[in-house]
Amino acid sequence: MATAIELLTTLLTLCGLAYMVLALWGTRDFVHSVRRRRMADSGQYTPDITLLKPVKGVDDRMYAGLVSHCLQQYTGRFEIVFGVHSLADPAVPEIARLQAEHPEVAIRLVECPQRLGTSGKVSNLVQMLPHVRYEHIIINDSDIYVGPTYLQGVARYFADPKVGMVTAPYLGRTGAGGRELTVWAKLEALGISTDFLAGVLTARKIEGGIRFGLGSTLACTRTALAAAGGLEPLTEYLADDYEMGKRIAAAGYTVELCGECVETTVPGYGLKGYWDHQMRWARSTRDSRRAGYIGLGVTYCIPWALMTLVASGFALWSISLFTLVLLARVTVALTVGVGTLRDEQVLRDLWLLPVRDCFGLLFWVWSFAGDTVVWRGETFRLKNGRIERV
């Protein structure tokens, strides 16, 4: 039995090591493709764009994120349409403030009183869509912070008529200090920059592109969205971003991952908040990409290498293997997190990498133990990607 366990953990460790190589290969391919795209871009393709932002409440750094969308170095026309379920929402005064401080930007607020499905966000988007003026739309969350070249970086991909959707990588920005800078917030941000994006770039390389969207940026044409069935069928889905990209790809369009990295805010999680968020992500991914998710377990090479150390009785070869795995994992973290995302937080929290990977393996295992998720304080049951209140 001991020998069998040793062989199994060694095999899983080697599979994890192979995944690290694939992640580096995928990252290299992505960086080169972004460079080629930027070199080929004349900057003359600047279609008119509508930004759709469903909002609910006021999040940390929300206003700074809203302002960043107004400060775009973009020669085309663009507008920002906000959607709220009720005009009594706390976000409404913030939007009024934004309109007053940035009169040069066309900013509109739409009340979305109907609840068309379990997902309040998508329900709002369905009601916002008739107010859109332009063919090209970008959907992102209220806490997203973007750089001044964001619109141009996304728009350049639509010069190719085959492109139906453009999505963007993102990093999680923790609080600067105090109660917002918890160890759980650090683990969340570290996972986004060194684990999540590495998986996306590996899938992009292996599958010859991506066929899903990331909620940080869902840019598409209204024509492609209509061909994919519109937003109405997504009102019951938890991973609406994934489904939207999947359906646009199934309609015959290309989905592109652009080089414009954006930021999302990581709350000052306690253990329960961190657990709930990670389990929601894990079970959502499990339901969306079943085959790929099963293979995700082998990517946590550090805990597998630790198990191999113990199973082998700390034999010299297992120590060497653990050292090699640790070196490969750190290389991926620095290449993806620092080199690609420019996330300096990775350097600050690099020592937490083994802890993050051990938690990651735990979340992966536990994700198969149930179907419930917690989202904005409400508990839902997840089945085939759809959610229903418990």
Side-chain angles (χ1 to χ4, degrees), residues 48-61:
D48 299 336
I49 295 174
T50 296
L51 285 142
L52 291 178
K53 296 185 76 70
V55 294
K56 181 181 180 181
V58 178
D59 300 319
D60 295 334
R61 296 180 73 234

Side-chain angles (χ1 to χ4, degrees), residues 37 135-138 154 157-167 210 212-213 217-228 244-257:
R37 180 78 64 168
E135 167 67 7
H136 293 77
I137 60 176
I138 297 178
V154 171
Y157 287 81
F158 287 108
D160 182 351
K162 295 179 181 178
V163 174
M165 171 177 276
V166 179
T167 191
I210 63 172
F212 52 86
T217 293
L218 297 169
C220 65
T221 62
R222 296 174 71 179
T223 301
L225 182 59
M244 186 174 167
K246 175 184 174 182
R247 293 173 185 226
I248 287 176
Y253 290 92
T254 300
V255 179
E256 294 282 358
L257 182 66

Side-chain angles (χ1 to χ4, degrees), residues 1-71:
M1 178 65 72
T3 302
I5 293 174
E6 181 182 336
L7 287 173
L8 177 61
T9 57
T10 301
L11 177 61
L12 291 170
T13 302
L14 292 174
C15 288
L17 193 58
Y19 168 76
M20 292 297 120
V21 175
L22 284 174
L24 290 172
W25 187 29
T27 303
R28 179 179 180 275
D29 182 72
F30 171 66
V31 171
H32 285 182
S33 70
V34 169
R35 287 176 181 170
R36 288 194 299 269
R37 180 78 64 168
R38 286 175 177 167
M39 290 176 64
D41 180 30
S42 64
Q44 296 178 354
Y45 192 76
T46 54
D48 299 336
I49 295 174
T50 296
L51 285 142
L52 291 178
K53 296 185 76 70
V55 294
K56 181 181 180 181
V58 178
D59 300 319
D60 295 334
R61 296 180 73 234
M62 172 178 150
Y63 192 73
L66 301 185
V67 170
S68 72
H69 289 75
C70 296
L71 304 178

Side-chain angles (χ1 to χ4, degrees), residues 59-66 142-145 173-175 263-265:
D59 300 319
D60 295 334
R61 296 180 73 234
M62 172 178 150
Y63 192 73
L66 301 185
S142 60
D143 68 337
I144 294 294
Y145 184 96
R173 181 65 62 186
T174 63
E263 296 181 10
T264 185
T265 299

Side-chain angles (χ1 to χ4, degrees), residues 64-118:
L66 301 185
V67 170
S68 72
H69 289 75
C70 296
L71 304 178
Q72 292 297 300
Q73 298 171 1
Y74 190 66
T75 56
R77 292 181 299 179
F78 71 95
E79 63 172 353
I80 306 177
V81 178
F82 292 94
V84 292
H85 179 64
S86 167
L87 293 179
D89 192 286
V92 172
E94 296 294 284
I95 297 168
R97 175 186 169 194
L98 191 73
Q99 289 173 315
E101 294 182 357
H102 295 276
E104 74 282 2
V105 180
I107 299 172
R108 288 181 289 141
L109 176 64
V110 176
E111 185 180 17
C112 310
Q114 295 177 287
R115 189 63 181 257
L116 304 176
T118 310

Side-chain angles (χ1 to χ4, degrees), residues 240-303:
D240 54 90
D241 50 357
Y242 177 88
E243 282 293 325
M244 186 174 167
K246 175 184 174 182
R247 293 173 185 226
I248 287 176
Y253 290 92
T254 300
V255 179
E256 294 282 358
L257 182 66
C258 75
E260 291 293 320
C261 176
V262 303
E263 296 181 10
T264 185
T265 299
V266 176
Y269 285 126
L271 175 57
K272 185 179 186 305
Y274 177 60
W275 179 274
D276 287 345
H277 187 263
Q278 287 294 308
M279 288 308 302
R280 188 177 83 231
W281 177 87
R283 286 176 175 164
S284 170
T285 308
R286 181 202 67 190
D287 264 31
S288 299
R289 291 174 59 87
R290 292 183 179 274
Y293 187 75
I294 292 173
L296 182 65
V298 304
T299 68
Y300 300 109
C301 54
I302 290 181

